[in-house]
Amino acid sequence: MPDQDLLSRFPPVSMTLLETDKARFARELCRSFREYGFAAISDHGLDEALIAGAYAKAAEFFALPEATKMKYFVEGGGGARGYTPFGKEIAKDAKHVDLKEFWHVGRDLPAGHPYEADMAPNLVPGEVAGWQETVHGLYAAFDAMGVKVLRAIALDLGLEETFFDDTVKDGNSVMRLLHYPPVTGDPGGSIRAEAHGDINTITLLLGAEEPGLQVKTRSGEWVDMNPPPGCLVVNMGDMLARSTNDILPSTQHRVINPAGARTEFSRYSLPFFLHYRPDYMIETLPGCAGPDNPDKYPEPIRANDYLNQRLREIGLLK
């Protein structure tokens, strides 16, 4: 499909509208969410120097020797913190592992916090100077940005603007520093990321302008999602889809292998998976079920129970 047609599917919505026309920002953003489960945001305001710094720290870490990186792999930790090597994550129902390695940063909790049992402490690679200031700094910026997006979603759903604030306060959110290495030789049927839906509420993604990310439309067609440089891509996760009775769908997406000269290059991206707090009960929200859209999820489920169920499905928990 021609690029101009692709851009018309995901026209970026400017974050500046939040200051001038909040209702329009919510309407345009959620029109894309309702149709595709994805949207692009321009003028997002995240610190470009912080973003560049996080990419640099990620590249520095992933260039370390394998034995060094494996010091930060937590056996049995479900990939929640630290390093996850190649061959560990596989999409639900997929036959091949993904061609990627990644690092997870989570929320830093004070000692004695009630969610300590559900959230492991962060690891810090001592080999990369300035890691916490840069990487954890971007985590905090993403966390605040996610609340702004959720407020727009709440408005579009006819809820109080701050409805989701408490649901994600101290949520089990993670930022992933993701490295897809060059694809050399026969990948044996594997691609960088097999088709999957995200587990969480919403995902905020930097790095989507590098070709490879594809979204599956309602008609079953795979289309490229590569917005203009500098855009933030946001997509619905399974938790929020469940909360909205699939009014806001969690769309299957994948990262295909590069072609031509791009096979020689790594691909880096920075997704932030915004989660509900661990004890939040996921249930269908007011106004999201009715005669024309019967409730598909009548049984509430604790957010952390849902998370662990899904982590087992993708091979990160046994």
Side-chain angles (χ1 to χ4, degrees), residues 1 4 56-57 63 66 68 80 130 147 151 171 174 179 193 197 200 206 212 215 220 222 240-241 254 259 271 295 315:
M1 179 167 285
Q4 61 267 29
K57 301 300 179 191
E66 194 64 24
T68 303
V147 172
R151 287 182 176 182
V174 291
H179 174 225
N200 43 292
L206 293 169
V215 177
W222 285 103
L240 192 58
R254 66 186 183 185
D295 193 348

Side-chain angles (χ1 to χ4, degrees), residues 99 180-184 191-192 210-212 255-267:
L99 301 176
Y180 304 101
V183 180
T184 56
I191 63 173
R192 285 179 159 175
E210 171 73 21
V255 180
I256 60 171
N257 293 337
R262 295 307 301 173
T263 60
E264 301 174 12
F265 291 85
S266 287
R267 184 185 200 272

Side-chain angles (χ1 to χ4, degrees), residues 47-109:
D47 187 333
E48 295 296 338
L50 195 61
I51 295 167
Y55 275 122
K57 301 300 179 191
E60 188 177 346
F61 174 78
F62 291 123
L64 293 171
E66 194 64 24
T68 303
K69 291 186 288 188
M70 285 301 292
K71 292 193 308 182
Y72 301 101
F73 171 62
V74 181
E75 191 70 53
R81 300 291 184 270
Y83 177 62
T84 297
F86 296 104
K88 284 291 180 182
E89 185 168 82
I90 183 169
K92 182 181 178 182
D93 300 325
K95 296 178 181 178
H96 302 282
V97 295
D98 291 344
L99 301 176
K100 65 188 180 189
E101 58 180 339
F102 55 88
W103 180 283
H104 271 169
V105 178
R107 191 174 303 282
D108 287 312
L109 296 175

Side-chain angles (χ1 to χ4, degrees), residues 17-28:
L17 279 175
L18 264 184
E19 304 300 323
T20 59
D21 195 338
K22 192 183 297 184
R24 181 183 164 198
F25 176 77
R27 185 170 63 250
E28 292 188 6

Side-chain angles (χ1 to χ4, degrees), residues 5 10 17 24 39 52-53 56 84-85 94 120-121 151 157 180 188 203 222 228 232 236 242 275 284 289 296 310 313:
D5 291 341
F10 305 104
L17 279 175
R24 181 183 164 198
T84 297
R151 287 182 176 182
L157 291 172
Y180 304 101
T203 300
W222 285 103
L232 178 72
M236 298 298 99
R242 185 179 176 118
H275 276 262
T284 301
K296 305 180 185 73
R310 292 297 310 281
E313 291 173 352

Side-chain angles (χ1 to χ4, degrees), residues 101-251:
E101 58 180 339
F102 55 88
W103 180 283
H104 271 169
V105 178
R107 191 174 303 282
D108 287 312
L109 296 175
H113 193 283
Y115 296 152
E116 268 186 329
D118 293 317
M119 295 189 217
N122 277 308
L123 302 179
V124 177
E127 296 79 5
V128 183
W131 179 273
Q132 281 183 287
E133 295 85 349
T134 302
V135 174
H136 293 219
L138 184 58
Y139 179 103
F142 264 136
D143 201 33
M145 176 65 68
V147 172
K148 292 181 181 179
V149 175
L150 284 176
R151 287 182 176 182
I153 290 171
L155 285 175
D156 190 69
L157 291 172
L159 303 169
E160 287 290 333
E161 183 180 4
T162 58
F163 175 87
F164 289 108
D165 286 22
D166 184 62
T167 73
V168 296
K169 183 177 175 3
D170 291 339
N172 199 1
S173 304
V174 291
M175 184 173 79
R176 176 177 286 189
L177 285 72
L178 188 52
H179 174 225
Y180 304 101
V183 180
T184 56
D186 180 5
S190 290
I191 63 173
R192 285 179 159 175
E194 283 281 3
H196 64 283
D198 291 345
I199 298 171
N200 43 292
T201 55
I202 59 173
T203 300
L204 312 177
L205 173 66
L206 293 169
E209 57 263 29
E210 171 73 21
L213 178 62
Q214 293 188 325
V215 177
K216 194 174 187 178
T217 66
R218 292 179 184 273
S219 65
E221 178 188 8
W222 285 103
V223 298
D224 293 329
M225 176 51 155
N226 42 339
C231 282
L232 178 72
V233 167
V234 183
N235 65 275
M236 298 298 99
D238 294 344
M239 289 183 180
L240 192 58
R242 185 179 176 118
S243 292
T244 64
N245 200 29
D246 294 331
I247 287 175
L248 300 177
S250 177
T251 309

